[in-house]
Amino acid sequence: MNAILSIIVPVYNRPEEIQELLESLVEQDFKESYEIVIVEDGSIKSSEEVVKNFQESLQISYYFKENTGPGDSRNYGMQNAKGNYYIILDSDCILPKQYLSEVKKELQTDFVHCFGGPDAAHESFTTVQKAINYVMTSFFTTGGIRGGGKSVGKFQPRSFNMGISKEAFSKAGGFGQIHPGEDPDLTFRIWKAGYATRLFPKAFVYHKRRIDWNKFYIQVNKFGMVRPILNKWHKGTAKLTYWFPTLFILGLFASVLMALGGIILPLAIVIAYFLLLFLDASIKNKSIKVALLAIFAALTQFTGYGIGFLKSTILVNFSKKEPETLFPKLFFKKK
């Protein structure tokens, strides 16, 4: 099919992010026509004035709606888009100038109804942003699910950098109300509808997470809580690898106790793993400071995700209540 691109961006109280994203879109080397759809999700800090400043240089539409979450806002944007292939981006992304050209090249070479692109760190990022980006994309921490390499298992696109055809969106029903987790939930429904997904390795974005350590812990804790819910909704999608953060934290605690009792081999293995992480992070980021922070980021990630996953696994499988009742903060409600 001839893919006519519509870029869909939900935004919530982040006009400065929209500014940077639109600036990077102005610099694209892509020569074909495309549109941008900005969906303001009930923000108090409006992005409308920022969008107006780009009306002459970009084909852009702006919509304001009540706050119903990023998934519903993406659906709203796709329902109002004019194209037949949607590119979904988070507002905190910056695009390299070749991004759209790489997407179109992949679609023309080997068309797929849904794709995902990698997550990279820009040189302007802070050391904390680079460290968090590393642990979110590294094979040694997440299996590379957000990086550009081969991930563990079948590729699941993430909605910070994701493409979906109008046809697949219609058949799969769009994003649900769970958040986070709305992107793998949609991916599973895309697969059930008979469509494939694929990684576009060169269609990467700079994901500029505006985050601190507390927000990062809360985020990964929610990721952990969401996964058992998705496992219950979509039979056959559960993997042993989802247990890794929980088992790692329990193993770390046990290895420290064993070392105090004179058995040091388990703790030595854990230390060797962190040394491997440190070396890989220092080589990829060319910074010892980022590598040191990457170790702390990995511990934060494993602890937050592991605790959330264990808690949710117990409640989802042994409680008679529905996930929406057990974890109301993980669900947006339509108004």
Side-chain angles (χ1 to χ4, degrees), residues 46-323:
S46 173
S47 300
E48 187 172 10
E49 289 302 316
V50 172
V51 172
K52 285 181 179 179
N53 292 332
F54 289 87
Q55 292 284 1
E56 293 185 3
S57 54
L58 296 168
Q59 184 180 334
I60 187 167
S61 301
Y62 173 86
Y63 297 92
F64 184 93
K65 52 177 279 299
E66 290 185 284
N67 178 239
T68 54
D72 192 51
S73 295
R74 296 182 190 111
N75 292 343
Y76 185 92
M78 288 184 279
Q79 289 161 358
N80 286 278
K82 299 178 179 67
N84 61 8
Y85 205 101
Y86 312 127
I87 297 177
I88 301 159
L89 300 171
D90 278 357
S91 63
D92 58 354
C93 288
I94 301 172
L95 308 185
K97 66 178 182 179
Q98 74 278 8
Y99 174 82
L100 290 175
S101 296
E102 292 294 344
V103 168
K104 197 60 181 287
K105 187 186 302 181
E106 289 277 4
L107 290 174
Q108 291 175 334
T109 303
D110 183 14
F111 183 83
V112 67
H113 281 275
C114 181
F115 78 87
D119 177 352
H122 193 270
E123 59 182 11
S124 66
F125 286 11
T126 66
T127 52
V128 172
Q129 286 173 326
K130 289 178 180 178
I132 290 175
N133 178 271
Y134 171 79
V135 300
M136 292 294 283
T137 59
S138 173
F139 173 82
F140 297 111
T141 51
T142 63
I145 59 173
R146 293 169 180 252
K150 292 183 178 179
S151 59
V152 176
K154 196 173 179 180
F155 182 69
Q156 299 177 23
R158 293 297 191 270
S159 55
F160 68 89
N161 180 13
M162 178 181 185
I164 180 173
S165 69
K166 183 176 182 178
E167 178 183 325
F169 166 70
S170 178
K171 291 287 181 64
F175 290 95
Q177 295 306 110
I178 192 169
H179 177 71
E182 69 273 18
D183 30 12
D185 174 50
L186 175 57
T187 297
F188 295 147
R189 286 186 279 110
I190 287 171
W191 292 346
K192 289 177 182 177
Y195 299 101
T197 57
R198 185 162 66 85
L199 171 69
F200 287 8
K202 293 184 179 180
F204 66 89
V205 301
Y206 300 115
H207 198 182
K208 195 173 185 178
R209 299 175 180 86
R210 300 187 190 278
I211 201 167
D212 56 31
W213 293 115
N214 183 57
K215 289 179 180 177
F216 181 55
Y217 178 87
I218 293 171
Q219 182 184 60
V220 294
N221 184 249
K222 286 182 177 181
F223 287 162
M225 288 191 286
V226 158
R227 184 54 69 175
I229 298 172
L230 298 178
N231 292 344
K232 182 178 181 179
W233 285 354
H234 304 282
K235 304 300 182 184
T237 62
K239 299 178 183 179
L240 287 175
T241 52
Y242 296 152
W243 279 95
F244 175 77
T246 302
L247 296 177
F248 183 90
I249 292 302
L250 293 176
L252 175 60
F253 181 73
S255 68
V256 171
L257 292 179
M258 293 172 71
L260 293 174
I263 304 173
I264 63 171
L265 180 59
L267 184 59
I269 293 173
V270 173
I271 293 173
Y273 167 77
F274 280 121
L275 283 174
L276 176 63
L277 206 67
F278 174 82
L279 289 173
D280 187 57
S282 61
I283 292 171
K284 289 182 177 177
N285 289 279
K286 298 180 176 62
S287 169
I288 292 177
K289 186 176 181 180
V290 171
L292 288 171
L293 286 175
I295 294 175
F296 182 73
L299 279 169
T300 303
Q301 182 186 59
F302 293 157
T303 303
Y305 188 101
I307 292 173
F309 183 86
L310 183 61
K311 174 185 176 181
S312 181
T313 296
I314 294 170
L315 291 176
V316 167
N317 290 286
F318 296 99
S319 173
K320 295 181 179 180
K321 296 180 179 179
E322 292 298 317

